[in-house]
Amino acid sequence: MIAVGAALAALALFVAACGSGGTGARDEGPAHASAVAGAAASPSPSPAETYRRVDPVALVKGDPEVSGAVKRELKPCNGDEYPVDVSYGNLTDGPVDDVVVNVLTCADAVGIGSYVYRDDDGSFRNVFKSEESPVYAEIDQGVLSVTRQYYERGDPISSPSGEIVTPYRWTEGRFAPGKSTRNEYSKSAGGGPTPAPDS
């Protein structure tokens, strides 16, 4: 009887300890709203409310802000596959997700143009462009992050010396650049000639 009572008391203490704060797995990140009983949370919009898929090739080709050189390079690499990368996300607090499009070369996937499109009364409008090749833009935690690789004398096209990463934030109706980070690539890793494969 005493052993049963002690076991019940230990179980009650264990349950109480689990339910009172502590540093459990929930502290590692936010709990899903449906998992928190009785919590008053504003529902997040469903993906259908913020995401609208676009045809990135038609968007770029129909954009007067895109240079003729980039439009000429934008052609299929294999069959009907175009060298474009597309990302969707909230960069400008618009009614639907913004669209980031990167146009690449077919041969070596070098970025030749990066663009951001924002919904403006149902149609997408160009609000950012960079055509300083090689360039690549992406969404990083709600910030537009633009990477531009740079070359020093003697660098082959496949081996730039490094990159400059610049964050851009949407401020007063436009993207304003923040402080850039310069990353220098190692010349020792993979710097030697690539051996020919055995035939």
Side-chain angles (χ1 to χ4, degrees), residues 46 140 170:
S46 68
D140 183 9
W170 185 253

Side-chain angles (χ1 to χ4, degrees), residues 174-187:
R174 67 182 186 89
F175 280 105
K179 188 173 182 181
S180 298
T181 302
R182 182 184 179 99
N183 301 313
E184 295 182 352
Y185 299 154
S186 170
K187 295 294 184 183

Side-chain angles (χ1 to χ4, degrees), residues 9-104:
L11 180 61
L13 283 172
F14 176 76
V15 170
C18 286
S20 61
T23 55
R26 185 176 287 175
D27 289 349
E28 192 66 28
H32 193 278
S34 62
V36 183
S42 58
S44 59
S46 68
E49 293 175 21
T50 59
Y51 166 79
R52 196 169 88 230
R53 189 177 179 136
V54 301
D55 178 346
V57 175
L59 201 59
V60 170
K61 286 192 171 182
D63 182 359
E65 297 288 325
V66 176
S67 71
V70 170
K71 289 181 181 180
R72 283 190 297 275
E73 287 290 324
L74 184 53
K75 39 193 175 184
C77 297
N78 296 314
D80 59 353
E81 293 182 12
Y82 283 82
V84 293
D85 287 346
V86 186
S87 301
Y88 299 86
N90 181 11
L91 290 170
T92 68
D93 292 325
V96 298
D97 285 345
D98 303 300
V99 183
V100 178
V101 180
N102 288 287
V103 179
L104 314 170

Side-chain angles (χ1 to χ4, degrees), residues 84-165:
V84 293
D85 287 346
V86 186
S87 301
Y88 299 86
N90 181 11
L91 290 170
T92 68
D93 292 325
V96 298
D97 285 345
D98 303 300
V99 183
V100 178
V101 180
N102 288 287
V103 179
L104 314 170
T105 60
C106 286
D108 42 21
V110 171
I112 57 174
S114 297
Y115 312 92
V116 178
Y117 295 92
R118 182 178 194 271
D119 181 270
D120 187 8
D121 292 329
S123 62
F124 283 98
R125 178 176 58 92
N126 186 319
V127 291
F128 177 88
K129 78 169 184 175
S130 177
E131 295 177 339
E132 301 167 32
S133 181
V135 63
Y136 197 88
E138 56 193 333
I139 300 169
D140 183 9
Q141 299 181 1
V143 174
L144 177 65
S145 179
V146 179
T147 301
R148 296 178 178 90
Q149 292 179 324
Y150 66 89
Y151 294 84
E152 293 177 353
R153 174 172 258 170
D155 287 345
I157 188 70
S158 59
S159 300
S161 286
E163 64 185 16
I164 296 172
V165 182

